[in-house]
Amino acid sequence: MAEAAGGREQPAPPDAAPRADEEPEAAPHEAAAAGRRRERRSGVPAVGAAERFSGGSPGPAAAPEPDAGLLEAARAAPRRSSIIKDPSNQKCGRKKTVSFSSMPSEKKISSASDCISFMQAGCELKKVRPNSRIYNRFFTLDPDLQALRWEPSKKDLEKAKLDISAIKEIRLGKNTETFRNNGLADQISEDCALSVIHGENYESLDLVANSADVANIWVSGLRYLVSRSKQPLDLMESSHNTPRFAWLKTVFEAADVDGNGIMLEDTSVELIKKLNPTLKESKIRLKFKEIQKSKEKLTTRVTKEEFCEAFSELCTRPEVYFLLVQISKNKEYLDANDLMLFLEAEQGVTHITEEMCLDIIRRYELSQEGRLKGFLAIDGFTQYLLSPECDIFDPEHKKVVQDMTQPLSHYYINSSHNTYLIEDQLRGPADINGYVRALKMSCRSIELDICDGPDNEPIICSRNNMTSPLSFRSVIEVINKLAFFASDYPLILCLGNHCSVQQQKLVVQHMKRIFGNKLYTETPLSSEAYLPSPEKLKMKIIVKGKKLPCDQDILEGEVTDEDEEAEISRRLSEDFSREPKLIWLCKELSDLVSLCKSVQYKDFETSMKAQNYWEICSFSEAEASRIANEYPEDFVNYNKKFLSRVYPSAMRIDSSNLNPQDFWNCGCQIVAMNYQTPGPMMDLHTGWFLQNGGCGYVLRPSVMRDEVSYFSANTKGIVPGVSPQVLHVKIISGQNFPKPKGACAKGDVIDPYVCIEIHGIPADCTEQRTKTVQQNSDNPIFDESFEFQINLPELAMIRFVVLDDDYIGDEFIGQYTIPLECLQPGYRHIPLRSFVGDIMEHVTLFVHIAITNRSGGGKAQKRSLSVRIGKKAREYTMLRNTGLKTIDDIFKLAVHPLREATDMRENMQNAMVSVKELCGLPPIASLKQCILTLSSRLVSSENTPSVTLCMKDAFPYLEPLGTMPDVQKKVLAAYDLMIQESRVLIETADITHDKIVQCQKAGMEFHEELHNLGTKEGLKGRKLSKAIESFAWNITVLKGQGDLLKNAKNEALENMKQIQLACLSCGLSKTGSGHADAKSKRCLEAIQEKDTGDENGRL
């Protein structure tokens, strides 16, 4: 048996004719798909079509080649590009072995007996060998449930099998040495791979299913069999003995007023709709007809069994069922301990208690029995996963969590363009609802174009269309009422003044009377260097506009027109060379302008020398784009001190929107958006300002705020001092997708697919897509995983877009945009928004999120670890030569500490990844999951551990309690190395960190003297600028690497605590007395004290 399933079955040699039963698969054709490109509502222009492979049904065979078997895992794979349509994604005659679609005629998996029935019927799986050969085999489960068999094989039938009793573990994903060392591992879908670990030496039978659905069935079924291997199984009765069936019986009996055990079909339909409001009545009736037809019944009455069967098939989401079985240790319900482990290890929830889990069960479990006994069945678990508690948006960010005491110029500010318009820029009428909408969406910068009105009353309207003006007084009354409705932080009024002096005075009177002391008119202090903070300006209204010269005591005078108005005037007159128009301004209106005096931009050199911190420049979209491309570093440095406003091009007469991300990357604070125009750009804007409590202010990354730091908006790679993170997204399924609003096709059938777009700095912008699911809108199963490297996490956003692949007229189904910093890890439901931004009821996307190597960002680390990087391939962040000997000598002292810091972090990461690999877990797994997996191997059936937790100097080592198999020794050796590397980091991080900080401080002492030192060294012009840039780069690297080391130490301390707690909860500290447990608890307190001490000390 071991020979059959282990690593000793020999395929034909490459140069020999393949044997009949071991013929390797032929290589697939590597043709470039030229599928048609469609215009769709995507926010990222695709760079190309990246091909990824998953298991799929085999396509036509090519001519046999010596190593053709190496490529079979790549056959018939859907592309994951959102641009190129692969023919394999279109409708085809592929035979389905099992379907998870909502079509009533297809059986869904809703219980363990469904899984086992499928396995007994058998299906084709690809068998992956250690030598990288891949074979097609037909696998079945014996009728007596005692063995797994496969064919064809020249082996004796008794050898081409694996006894269920010999199985140790079943792993989903590419988590064995065979998969990791396979040449085509990257082309095999993680979601289609599974491994059966068996025998005392933990050999692996590695398989690839044709779909993630089939892989889940085999994993769930085998786990169920292994966990029940010592108990008699009666599968015919098992589905009727579940907590769910008992609950459904009570529901039916309560509605069966006559007590006859039958009810009208109409009553049954209403009952199921009451239990699950998302189901369509027609679908429920069709299911009853299908059940009755299978029993050759012609009646409109429904029995108890038929009701339970219909509900189970209609309301079971297979992907949720597989998850429940996985985390419940193969039961069909969760108890409080199962739920606690799920929340801690998978969902990233901290400080969870058993009582909190019981409270969740009481709130979401539908059956009274479950609530009383403390278990959560499939329907209650589904309700919990759909609840706000499992929303993808981190609830911490629903309140203000960022430092609001920084200067105003250090924040992105939610801004509106021509707020009074609700249509296009030329013919659109002015409407008071424009202000209502913007202020209710936490907009903190709104625009008022004021003109002379009749009856000596100023009006607000577009200068291009004065047919539907608004009374200025009525507008500011609405503003006064709603100014701080959604946010307490300052509101900026951008005045476009086109009034006569006489009506300007009326404008001032109205504003003073209506706004009162909310108006901020204090004169800026020349002794200050930066603007006040949002915290200091709370509940204040700031007026942005032109101002009379301070050195002239005049009642009125001429000033240049606003930059945006001047541009529009020039374009309308087709005279681009004419001088800016002059307008008259009265002293009273000038005096209302304090912190946001409008001035004209000339160049950065002039601005950095002559501009006052309270002055603001406005840039047209075209001008800002040019500057961002030509002077990206200067633009970022300029925005550290001064506010800049970017407004849409005058050519956007349709009120379309610019891409705000392009200008946020340069640090521009006020990027004005046309709120009335929905679409991808407005999605980005709305999603970005959901963070920080939706207060309208978002703190920029520190690398864009620090006085001495280097950052380029056009960076194409790693940002100095920032550790890249890897975002892992698994798109599992969708729920209740509507037909696109503008679709012209008849009927409700859609072919959905999902695009994942990453927006941020240029190095991070990318997108990938799932396969298309044919004709399923109710519960399409995607089951596809993606990875994205994020170089600047604090500026990154993720946009999930659901589209129809077989559309006529409109393809957009829904979208959701969220900042990376607001993502919650684990299994989450995403509430999709319509094209105009409204949440669609019951329309969700079910995903799994993990972020590895989390660092910085002001947010607690919810995940850790990235892929292993060998020391030879390790990339160290290099310091640059400034050309100034005195300074370069100081920075040279930091080279060795920087290498030490990188080595310590990477060594710990590599050691942790090794432990996870040996535990059969992916890198995204938590250490708690590692300990849980280890404990299942190291604790015997008599609940006796083969190792014990031994605290040495407050570090959790595991010591064997006797002889152990070699495979377990290997795992323990890797565990010891992980503890040792963590210990080295914890004990030496302070010294290395101090060296780095000392070099940074020593370098900063020369900051003010850089120009003089450069001049003495003979540097000027471009060379001097390059020296200053290199200096900023080095300071940024030193600060960033110091922060990364500090975060790594805190992470290591937290890991030690989590490991110890996990060992205690898994019973790995049992020694027959309470002495060891007491000692472990004392050591845990020591770790906590050490952690607290370090936080309060140097780090």
Side-chain angles (χ1 to χ4, degrees), residues 189-376:
S189 169
E190 182 81 22
D191 310 303
C192 296
L194 66 143
S195 300
V196 181
I197 312 300
H198 59 92
E200 293 303 318
N201 292 324
Y202 281 66
E203 296 172 83
S204 66
L205 171 61
D206 300 290
L207 306 169
V208 180
N210 283 345
S211 70
D213 310 330
V214 174
N216 273 317
I217 292 173
W218 282 95
V219 169
S220 299
L222 288 172
R223 283 176 175 169
Y224 186 86
L225 288 173
V226 170
S227 67
R228 301 291 192 275
S229 60
K230 296 182 181 179
Q231 304 171 15
L233 271 171
D234 186 352
L235 289 172
M236 296 305 293
E237 297 297 326
S238 62
S239 62
H240 296 276
N241 293 331
T242 62
R244 180 193 218 178
F245 191 80
W247 165 65
L248 286 173
K249 283 197 296 186
T250 61
V251 170
F252 184 92
E253 289 163 1
D256 179 17
V257 290
D258 297 330
N260 297 325
I262 58 173
M263 65 172 63
L264 290 172
E265 183 181 297
D266 290 346
T267 309
S268 298
V269 170
E270 288 176 14
L271 189 54
I272 290 180
K273 278 222 30 105
K274 183 179 177 183
L275 295 173
N276 189 342
T278 65
L279 286 175
K280 298 172 185 173
E281 181 179 328
S282 58
K283 187 175 177 182
I284 303 173
R285 292 190 184 278
L286 204 55
K287 176 56 68 176
F288 279 127
K289 285 182 172 60
E290 179 191 335
I291 291 171
Q292 290 165 356
K293 184 180 179 181
S294 68
K295 297 180 180 179
E296 297 182 351
K297 285 176 57 179
L298 293 173
T299 177
T300 58
R301 295 185 179 272
V302 177
T303 67
K304 187 187 301 181
E305 289 72 21
E306 289 167 350
F307 172 80
C308 294
E309 184 180 350
F311 181 89
S312 295
E313 290 200 20
L314 288 168
C315 300
T316 301
R317 285 173 47 190
E319 73 280 17
V320 176
Y321 172 76
F322 291 137
L323 176 61
L324 179 137
V325 172
Q326 175 190 332
I327 62 181
S328 68
K329 303 180 186 66
N330 310 303
K331 303 187 295 291
E332 296 202 346
Y333 61 88
L334 300 175
D335 57 31
N337 285 333
D338 296 330
L339 187 56
M340 188 186 305
L341 290 174
F342 171 68
L343 294 175
E344 287 180 338
E346 197 60 68
Q347 303 293 89
V349 181
T350 55
H351 311 299
I352 195 78
T353 64
E354 185 177 359
E355 183 52 44
M356 291 164 69
C357 294
L358 288 171
D359 178 62
I360 290 172
I361 291 171
R362 285 191 289 268
R363 284 186 287 121
Y364 292 102
E365 173 55 29
L366 300 180
S367 70
Q368 185 175 1
E369 181 190 11
R371 293 193 294 270
L372 290 174
K373 293 183 178 179
F375 63 75
L376 197 61

Side-chain angles (χ1 to χ4, degrees), residues 597-628:
K597 174 188 174 182
S598 294
V599 296
Q600 195 168 11
Y601 167 80
K602 292 184 179 65
D603 55 63
F604 287 128
E605 186 177 357
T606 304
S607 295
M608 298 305 281
K609 288 179 180 177
Q611 187 172 334
N612 295 306
Y613 69 83
W614 60 82
E615 294 175 336
I616 175 174
C617 289
S618 291
F619 301 87
S620 69
E621 178 184 349
E623 185 181 23
S625 297
R626 177 186 62 79
I627 295 171

Side-chain angles (χ1 to χ4, degrees), residues 198 437 546 634 735 1067:
H198 59 92
R437 174 181 55 203
K546 292 289 181 177
D634 292 337
Q735 290 74 48

Side-chain angles (χ1 to χ4, degrees), residues 78-89:
R79 296 179 189 272
R80 290 184 174 173
S81 164
S82 58
I83 299 300
I84 294 182
K85 309 289 182 184
D86 191 296
S88 65
N89 284 338

